[in-house]
Amino acid sequence: MMTPQPVLHRYHLADGVVAFSTTRHGGYSTGNYASFNINMYCGDAEEAVQRNRQLLCQQLGISDDRLIMPHQVHQTHIAKIDQRLLVLPASDRQQALDGVDAVMTDIRGVCIGVSTADCIPVVIYDSVHRVVCAIHAGWRGTVARIVEKSVQAMMTAYGSCPTDMTATIGPGISLDSFEVGDEVFEAFLQAGFDMAAISRREQKWHIDLPECNHLQLLSAGVRPQAVTMSGICTFKQTDDFFSARRMGINSGRIFTGVMML
């Protein structure tokens, strides 16, 4: 039997930068986790998760300790991945990454990333200071402006300038598919979003999460021409991407990663 190979949806941020989202193909997981899932917090079999991690690391040409994935909680804590964190024992490192929804680093050969299954993954690269960032923006994180806060964190930690940044918005739930209650609409309204630009009313409100995060990149100072959007709706494309809203929370997660070579 041939060894599976993860099928990655790749992005071009710059030469010397690897950026991608995993698909459902090319792994060892089964059922609603089939077949490629590396998230250990969603109920998948631990052995399958570890074997899938090994496959991805082999494809990226890195050791397992160089693949960094936080335990996300829909807040806005942003972790700087430095040499101090990388030398921690695995259990201490995981504890340090608990409650983290965005990660950033200036270390080459370290793949940082976030897990999503309808939420919006955003990756950023600063070409001058050579810094990458991966952000998990669910609706709560989006309301709390995690993308804007991540750009600011890069500026504070590394001296990054938004006009030197390139960004990609990965697969997530689309305006068509993201139906919300009045309380979610009100949360965006109270947070100062331009509701005419990001929502529409059908039987219920619909909100455009990818566009919300696109607008945050622009408001943070990233140049419009430096932002690309995948245009992939996870809810509509569950053959290739996980969707918790469509498949249930006991299903796999997409991993969107970025690494400097």
Side-chain angles (χ1 to χ4, degrees), residues 148-200:
E148 291 180 9
K149 291 175 180 176
S150 296
V151 171
Q152 183 61 55
M154 293 172 70
M155 295 167 67
T156 301
Y158 304 106
S160 296
C161 178
T163 55
D164 297 325
M165 296 178 185
T166 306
T168 293
I169 295 172
I173 197 164
S174 64
L175 171 67
D176 288 345
S177 302
F178 190 44
E179 184 180 86
V180 302
D182 291 347
E183 72 286 355
V184 176
F185 178 89
E186 284 295 324
F188 279 87
L189 180 64
Q190 294 302 317
F193 285 86
D194 178 359
M195 302 313 293
I198 66 157
S199 67
R200 71 166 184 245

Side-chain angles (χ1 to χ4, degrees), residues 28-41:
Y28 289 104
S29 297
T30 59
N32 265 12
Y33 304 96
S35 65
F36 190 85
N37 167 64
I38 62 167
N39 187 291
M40 67 184 77
Y41 304 109

Side-chain angles (χ1 to χ4, degrees), residues 19-259:
F20 62 91
S21 293
T22 59
T23 69
R24 294 188 60 187
H25 309 300
Y28 289 104
S29 297
T30 59
N32 265 12
Y33 304 96
S35 65
F36 190 85
N37 167 64
I38 62 167
N39 187 291
M40 67 184 77
Y41 304 109
C42 58
D44 195 3
E46 184 176 347
E47 181 184 357
V49 170
Q50 291 304 322
R51 293 178 79 187
N52 288 339
R53 277 184 66 101
Q54 290 171 9
L55 290 176
L56 180 59
C57 289
Q58 288 168 8
Q59 192 165 127
L60 296 174
I62 59 175
S63 55
D64 185 82
D65 62 348
R66 294 265 156 166
L67 179 62
I68 305 296
M69 180 176 64
H71 181 210
Q72 302 152 194
V73 292
H74 296 274
Q75 298 295 323
T76 59
H77 185 60
I78 302 152
K80 180 180 180 181
I81 308 304
D82 54 17
Q83 292 291 355
R84 179 193 60 81
L85 184 138
L86 290 175
V87 299
L88 290 175
S91 59
D92 292 347
R93 177 193 299 192
Q94 210 54 47
Q95 186 175 354
L97 292 171
D98 191 59
V100 169
D101 281 87
V103 281
M104 57 186 181
T105 193
D106 62 351
I107 303 174
R108 295 169 59 184
V110 172
C111 181
I112 59 172
V114 292
S115 300
T116 59
D118 288 332
C119 296
I120 310 302
V122 181
V123 290
I124 303 175
Y125 172 60
D126 165 13
S127 60
V128 172
H129 294 86
R130 294 275 288 164
V131 178
V132 289
C133 182
I135 307 160
H136 161 248
W139 77 259
R140 291 178 179 84
T142 300
V143 165
R145 300 185 184 274
I146 188 172
V147 166
E148 291 180 9
K149 291 175 180 176
S150 296
V151 171
Q152 183 61 55
M154 293 172 70
M155 295 167 67
T156 301
Y158 304 106
S160 296
C161 178
T163 55
D164 297 325
M165 296 178 185
T166 306
T168 293
I169 295 172
I173 197 164
S174 64
L175 171 67
D176 288 345
S177 302
F178 190 44
E179 184 180 86
V180 302
D182 291 347
E183 72 286 355
V184 176
F185 178 89
E186 284 295 324
F188 279 87
L189 180 64
Q190 294 302 317
F193 285 86
D194 178 359
M195 302 313 293
I198 66 157
S199 67
R200 71 166 184 245
R201 180 81 184 186
E202 295 180 2
Q203 290 182 333
K204 289 189 175 182
W205 285 107
H206 287 239
I207 290 180
D208 192 338
L209 276 187
E211 181 60 17
C212 288
N213 289 287
H214 179 209
L215 292 172
Q216 284 188 49
L217 287 166
L218 302 184
S219 67
V222 180
R223 297 169 299 127
Q225 63 269 33
V227 181
T228 58
M229 303 179 74
S230 71
I232 296 168
C233 175
T234 47
F235 187 84
K236 294 179 180 178
Q237 295 177 238
T238 51
D239 284 349
D240 294 321
F241 297 94
F242 294 108
S243 168
R245 184 170 273 220
R246 190 156 184 183
M247 302 171 67
I249 60 170
N250 293 318
S251 57
R253 301 292 186 267
I254 302 158
F255 179 75
T256 296
V258 60
M259 177 177 70

